[in-house]
Amino acid sequence: MPTQEIDFSPPTAEAAPYLRPVTASLFAERAERFAHLAIGHSLGDWLNFLGQLTRAQHVVLQTLPELPLPDSATLEQARRHGMPPLDPGARPAVWREVLRQLVRSLEAPGAAGVGEALLSLREATDSELEKLADTLLDGVPEADQAARLVFVGAALQVVYTALASQLAAGRWPALEVHGVCPCCGSLPVASVVRLGAAINNLRYLHCSLCNSEWNVPRATCSACSTDQSVALHEIEGANSPVRAETCDACNSYLKIVYQEKDPHVDPVADDLATLALDMLVDEAGYQRAGPNLLLISTAA
Ligand SMILES: [Zn+2]
Ligand SMILES: [Zn+2]
């Protein structure tokens, strides 16, 4: 497992602390990325299906009306306590309609369990859906829930991406911890080293739920904030824009994707196209620091 040298040079410009999700293009670009990654991939059918799901997220998001944000007293209280302004535990009921729209628009592939999951979600009551969302956000899923939770996660992503895009950046608290999204408090799915004026070569953690990004210095562990024990790993000879950043202080890892190596790289899609890298660092004893909501791990 070759370890890369880490670039400790300081960024050249003042970093934007947050990047809000761009609702017009985010899921559409991710869907294209899934389709591209599926070509010639051993898991191509699965990646193509996730591309379809992501395309459906894009379509539903474009037709979503403006959502009510938390009231100003709630926002002010969150700001005063340095808490994220959005709370996935207090999700707006519209997410269930988003889920039903996603489910209606998808054709199930032959893959085991997916057709059944779609059918079961079509018939689920509101309270059954709320229980699934609670499990996704706080619980340990059972194996028979996993396929349904992927769609629950996709629906919640649509709603929280919309909310994050509506929320004024001034409502976000100053960052005291690196490990959770300053907008919704969720864990990051991966981090992105970005190209572009003012953000060139800066690293942003990408929220697994609301698709917001927040700046964290490179070579800093997202889980425990140390900059002493971080190393990068890649699959030898893969020439991939994705690496795994491991931390020996807390034994965690998260993927890091480089726009410099591929400008179309996506923290969610590229993460799922590189499961071999997860196996590599998992075998070396590291545990993943944040989930990918399109891949649900269940109770062992
Ligand atoms: Zn978030
Ligand atoms: Zn750490």
Side-chain angles (χ1 to χ4, degrees), residues 121-135:
L121 287 169
R122 253 172 231 169
E123 292 163 1
T125 63
D126 286 355
S127 75
E128 285 166 342
L129 294 181
E130 292 298 338
K131 268 187 210 143
L132 284 172
D134 286 339
T135 303

Side-chain angles (χ1 to χ4, degrees), residues 96-177:
R96 299 192 301 262
E97 181 48 35
V98 168
L99 174 65
R100 290 180 174 122
Q101 285 184 39
L102 289 178
V103 165
R104 274 198 299 272
S105 68
L106 286 168
E107 279 171 50
V114 175
E116 284 163 42
L118 289 173
L119 205 61
S120 143
L121 287 169
R122 253 172 231 169
E123 292 163 1
T125 63
D126 286 355
S127 75
E128 285 166 342
L129 294 181
E130 292 298 338
K131 268 187 210 143
L132 284 172
D134 286 339
T135 303
L136 177 73
L137 296 168
D138 300 316
V140 182
E142 300 296 328
D144 68 339
Q145 293 178 313
R148 281 177 291 165
L149 291 181
V150 168
F151 302 103
V152 170
L156 290 171
Q157 281 179 340
V158 169
V159 169
Y160 277 82
T161 300
L163 288 169
S165 75
Q166 286 177 226
L167 199 67
R171 290 293 193 178
W172 299 25
L175 282 174
E176 282 170 25
V177 286

Side-chain angles (χ1 to χ4, degrees), residues 11-132:
T12 51
E14 188 68 27
Y18 313 118
L19 302 175
R20 285 193 290 167
V22 180
T23 54
S25 57
L26 180 115
F27 288 115
E29 287 172 5
R30 182 169 296 159
E32 278 173 33
R33 184 64 179 171
F34 269 120
H36 172 79
L37 291 168
I39 298 167
H41 196 290
S42 60
L43 300 173
D45 287 348
W46 176 61
L47 294 172
N48 266 324
F49 179 69
L50 294 178
Q52 263 190 54
L53 173 58
T54 307
R55 166 61 56 181
Q57 286 180 298
H58 170 72
V59 171
V60 175
L61 180 55
Q62 303 317 302
T63 59
L64 204 61
E66 185 141 330
L67 300 176
L69 289 168
D71 62 38
S72 54
T74 308
L75 289 175
E76 179 52 29
Q77 196 185 12
R79 200 189 57 76
R80 243 193 336 227
H81 293 100
M83 300 284 289
L86 300 181
D87 174 8
R91 52 196 171 265
V94 69
W95 83 270
R96 299 192 301 262
E97 181 48 35
V98 168
L99 174 65
R100 290 180 174 122
Q101 285 184 39
L102 289 178
V103 165
R104 274 198 299 272
S105 68
L106 286 168
E107 279 171 50
V114 175
E116 284 163 42
L118 289 173
L119 205 61
S120 143
L121 287 169
R122 253 172 231 169
E123 292 163 1
T125 63
D126 286 355
S127 75
E128 285 166 342
L129 294 181
E130 292 298 338
K131 268 187 210 143
L132 284 172

Side-chain angles (χ1 to χ4, degrees), residues 220-226 229-230 246-253:
T220 302
C221 172
S222 65
C224 76
S225 295
T226 185
S229 324
V230 176
T246 56
C247 173
D248 286 332
C250 69
N251 272 333
S252 77
Y253 79 94

